[in-house]
């Protein structure tokens, strides 16, 4: 498998900072890279790893020509290791760390830096993390650990305390919209970026999954139920085909916004600003206790989906949508 090096425009300021440290030989031996999903954290550290092992970097980037660069491109550089779970959702186990330790006990085969990417630091189980601590404390000459923090999971404090942290910044909205512009129009870009916490790669992924269209469709249907134009049963039939994890997560966000609106009457706390009119209309006509009840019910169903309990999606959705219908009929009590 060949490896290409990607760089993204929103990395440039932080990339420059890191390269300055490399050039001044001040790069920490253990860097913990964080930031919301979809900013290209792995691309950032792979680019850095390529620079560190390259024999003659050009303006901070790997030359792409030398022996080291060729070995990196072929994923066979003996002084570069990328550790990650063998399967998504599994942990990085202590055996993998021991293997790494044996490898690092030898001198660098290409005579340059040795680089280890740990993707991600949050996937190390306790034994693996403990085995890694000594390495992080005494990495040896010209040896660098680049750990990725899989937000929002927490990294063990023993690991964090041995690393210097660098959180990749979310780009300015205009920059992100411009980066997405070959793929979609500006309004769509703004919508998907809002769903992606501003992270362009996550935004692109959501766009490719048509997530913004699914979300809009859900909102149209929720409004139609309130107006009595569609029944809970009809909408539930179409919702059973939705990715329920995403659908319930959004619904919970909207209900949280509704709670904020009811409690504060202040729209500046709302996250889903595009829903303000709908939320205000529901807020005026609903009872806070009923909103909390629905919020609890949707949250519970989301937990069931996560636990992979056997749900009947249509029945679950119909019951929840019925509560939604009744919400604006619960009356705003003082
Ligand atoms: Zn090179």
């Amino acid at each position: 498998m060949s490896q290409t090096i990607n760089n993204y425009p929103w990395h440039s300021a932080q990339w420059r900072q890191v390269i300055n440290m490399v050039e001044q030989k001040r790069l920490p031996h253990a860097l913990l890279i964080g930031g919301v999903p979809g900013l290209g954290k792995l691309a950032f550290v792979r680019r850095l790893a390529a620079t560190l092992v390259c024999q003659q970097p050009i303006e901070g980037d790997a030359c792409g020509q030398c022996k080291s660069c060729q070995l990196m491109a072929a994923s066979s550089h003996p002084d570069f290791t990328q550790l990650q779970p063998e399967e998504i959702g599994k942990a990085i186990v202590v055996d993998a760390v021991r293997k790494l330790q044996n490898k690092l006990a030898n001198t660098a085969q290409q005579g340059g830096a040795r680089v280890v990417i740990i993707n991600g630091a949050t996937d190390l189980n306790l034994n693996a993390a403990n085995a890694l601590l000594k390495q992080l404390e005494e990495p040896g000459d010209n040896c660098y650990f680049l750990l990725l923090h899989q937000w929002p999971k927490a990294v063990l404090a023993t690991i964090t305390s041995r690393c210097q942290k660098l959180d990749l910044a979310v780009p300015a909205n205009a920059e992100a919209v411009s980066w997405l512009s070959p793929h979609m129009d500006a309004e769509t870009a703004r919508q998907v970026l809002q769903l992606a916490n501003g992270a362009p790669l996550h935004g692109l992924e959501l766009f490719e999954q048509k997530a913004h269209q699914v979300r809009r469709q859900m909102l149209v249907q929720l409004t139609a139920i309130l107006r009595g134009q569609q029944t809970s049963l009809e909408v539930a039939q179409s919702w059973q085909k939705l990715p329920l994890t995403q659908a319930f997560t959004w619904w919970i966000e909207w209900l949280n916004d509704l709670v904020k609106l009811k409690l504060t009457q202040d729209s500046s706390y709302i996250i889903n600003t595009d829903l303000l009119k709908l939320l205000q209309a529901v807020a005026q006509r609903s009872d806070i206790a009923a909103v909390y009840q629905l919020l609890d019910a949707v949250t519970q169903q989301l937990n069931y989906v996560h636990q992979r309990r056997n749900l009947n999606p249509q029945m679950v959705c119909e019951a929840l949508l019925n509560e939604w219908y009744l919400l604006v009929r619960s009356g705003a009590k003082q």
Side-chain angles (χ1 to χ4, degrees):
M1 188 178 70
S2 76
Q3 297 285 348
T4 48
I5 298 169
N6 288 315
N7 63 55
Y8 297 107
W10 58 88
H11 288 171
S12 61
Q14 289 175 306
W15 174 254
R16 200 58 248 168
Q17 280 175 10
V18 168
I19 289 306
N20 283 343
M21 291 195 281
V22 172
E23 288 170 352
Q24 294 162 14
K25 303 200 184 311
R26 290 189 294 113
L27 186 72
H29 286 275
L31 258 185
L32 179 62
I33 312 277
V36 297
L39 291 173
K41 295 189 284 287
L42 183 59
F44 189 92
V45 292
R46 287 200 63 100
R47 185 182 176 194
L48 179 55
T51 295
L52 289 170
V53 299
C54 173
Q55 290 156 3
Q56 48 200 11
I58 301 168
E59 292 177 8
D61 265 305
C63 73
Q65 305 294 326
C66 70
K67 178 87 186 297
S68 273
C69 283
Q70 286 170 16
L71 288 167
M72 279 299 270
S75 292
S76 55
H77 199 296
D79 303 322
F80 170 73
T81 309
Q82 184 170 320
L83 270 194
Q84 56 204 359
E86 287 184 2
E87 282 175 53
I88 292 173
K90 293 270 170 69
I92 298 175
V93 294
V94 69
D95 282 353
V97 176
R98 296 237 167 85
K99 235 184 248 173
L100 172 71
Q101 286 167 331
N102 290 336
K103 191 171 167 182
L104 293 176
N106 303 317
T107 47
Q109 293 191 36
Q110 288 297 312
R114 284 173 298 174
V115 183
V116 179
I117 289 179
I118 299 189
N119 178 27
T122 41
D123 296 322
L124 291 159
N125 71 17
L126 194 59
N127 286 340
N130 284 337
L132 191 66
L133 294 182
K134 195 172 153 47
Q135 236 72 39
L136 290 178
E137 268 171 5
E138 299 167 18
D141 273 352
N142 216 4
C143 180
Y144 299 93
F145 284 85
L146 309 174
L147 296 92
L148 295 178
H149 176 186
Q150 304 302 72
W151 187 92
K153 287 194 268 178
V155 184
L156 291 167
T158 45
I159 298 274
T160 316
S161 64
R162 286 163 174 85
C163 298
Q164 187 159 323
K165 287 190 272 298
L166 174 70
D167 282 342
L168 292 191
V170 172
N173 197 255
E175 185 183 4
V177 169
S178 145
W179 186 80
L180 288 168
S181 65
H183 306 279
M184 64 194 84
D185 62 66
E187 183 48 38
T188 307
R190 277 188 281 274
Q191 284 175 19
V192 294
L193 283 167
Q194 192 183 18
L195 302 182
N197 298 309
L201 294 168
H202 189 199
L204 182 58
E205 186 185 314
L206 290 173
F207 174 74
E208 284 166 352
Q209 294 165 352
K210 302 200 186 318
H212 64 297
Q213 288 173 13
V214 172
R215 179 176 178 274
R216 198 177 309 146
Q217 184 59 32
M218 282 178 68
L219 288 168
V220 167
Q221 289 173 318
L222 285 174
T223 309
I225 288 180
L226 296 181
R227 290 182 176 152
Q229 294 161 340
Q230 274 197 294
T231 66
S232 310
L233 175 64
E234 285 163 352
V235 174
Q237 279 168 343
S238 79
W239 277 26
Q240 59 174 324
K241 298 183 202 87
L242 294 183
L244 283 186
T245 313
Q246 181 63 78
F248 287 165
T249 304
W250 281 334
W251 206 2
I252 289 167
E253 271 184 24
W254 303 335
L255 289 167
N256 274 319
D257 272 351
L258 186 57
V259 167
K260 282 183 258 176
L261 204 53
K262 280 204 69 80
L263 293 180
T264 66
Q265 273 95 41
D266 183 349
S267 59
S268 57
Y269 296 106
I270 302 302
I271 295 170
N272 297 275
T273 47
D274 58 326
L275 309 192
L276 188 58
K277 271 192 183 160
L278 172 66
L279 293 171
Q280 279 171 333
V282 178
Q284 276 171 12
R285 294 159 64 192
S286 58
D287 170 36
I288 186 79
V291 178
Y292 275 126
Q293 201 178 325
L294 178 55
L295 183 56
D296 283 348
V298 182
T299 307
Q300 188 183 43
Q301 292 303 330
L302 177 63
N303 287 334
Y304 289 161
V305 175
H306 280 310
Q307 293 161 10
R308 303 211 172 97
R309 291 208 196 173
N310 275 329
L311 303 177
N312 177 330
Q314 186 180 325
M315 270 178 60
V316 167
C317 289
E318 190 187 348
L320 294 174
L321 289 166
N322 214 29
E323 278 196 52
W324 169 257
Y325 168 79
L326 293 173
L327 206 57
V328 294
R329 284 148 187 91
S330 59
K333 292 176 195 137
Q334 294 305 311

